[in-house]
Amino acid sequence: AQEGIDMHDMRSIRTWSIVPVDLNAFMCINTRILASFYEISGDVIRTAKYQREYENMKRAMKMLHWNETDGIWYDYDLEYKVRDVISA
């Protein structure tokens, strides 16, 4: 049985070129949660700021990650400019 990390395999991982849909989804919803917290606290300016950022992130995510044909969200590969159907 092989133990430990095979460094050759690690070099083939292209994390620097993959924009993960799940991480972006977490960041997007957290921005919406921040807007809600600021709304509860009565901070109108920050509520508007984070709500705007949330809406912008949602649009950007749909453009980058959504595949209408497949009806699914994919990671995006910056190097090959494609939605990556294989996720790590």
Side-chain angles (χ1 to χ4, degrees):
Q2 183 177 357
E3 292 186 29
I5 298 172
D6 183 346
M7 292 312 287
H8 176 71
D9 288 343
M10 291 300 290
R11 284 188 295 261
S12 68
I13 297 174
R14 300 172 36 251
T15 56
W16 55 269
S17 66
I18 303 297
V19 180
V21 66
D22 52 349
L23 176 60
N24 280 280
F26 288 131
M27 292 181 356
C28 187
I29 197 64
N30 284 337
T31 303
R32 178 62 187 105
I33 291 168
L34 280 172
S36 295
F37 287 157
Y38 283 121
E39 183 177 23
I40 291 167
S41 73
D43 190 330
V44 178
I45 293 170
R46 286 193 175 130
T47 299
K49 173 188 174 189
Y50 283 100
Q51 184 62 35
R52 233 180 357 266
E53 286 186 25
Y54 165 70
E55 295 298 335
N56 290 338
M57 288 175 79
K58 251 188 358 181
R59 272 191 297 280
M61 279 191 65
K62 188 168 185 180
M63 286 174 43
L64 192 63
H65 296 291
W66 179 247
N67 182 301
E68 190 67 37
T69 304
D70 295 345
I72 195 167
W73 300 86
Y74 288 117
D75 291 344
Y76 186 78
D77 188 319
L78 292 170
E79 184 178 0
Y80 296 110
K81 309 277 189 264
V82 295
R83 288 179 188 88
D84 192 0
V85 296
I86 299 173
S87 185

